Amino acid sequence: MWKLLKWVWVVALLITGTTVGAMYGWMHHGWVGAIMLGFVGFAAGAVLASSPMLLLQILA
């Protein structure tokens, strides 16, 4: 059960980070910005997905 929850957490953060980065990049910099900031969002999502406590500390 915990393994499934961890997978859902990781996938959700990766998708969210990539989507937010790509949308911001698309709105402000065009398709090149969407690709680059989508990658940055993916990397940020990966960092936050690796440590849920880090995300909670950032939000608090």
Side-chain angles (χ1 to χ4, degrees):
M1 179 66 178
W2 286 110
K3 194 172 239 186
L4 176 65
L5 186 61
K6 175 76 173 178
W7 273 101
V8 169
W9 173 257
V10 169
V11 170
L13 281 178
L14 289 177
I15 290 173
T16 302
T18 304
T19 302
V20 169
M23 292 301 294
Y24 183 82
W26 180 261
M27 290 185 339
H28 294 284
H29 305 290
W31 66 272
V32 173
I35 293 170
M36 296 307 293
L37 289 176
F39 179 73
V40 170
F42 180 82
V47 168
L48 293 175
S50 69
S51 175
M53 287 302 294
L54 177 63
L55 179 61
L56 291 175
Q57 288 176 352
I58 291 172
L59 293 176

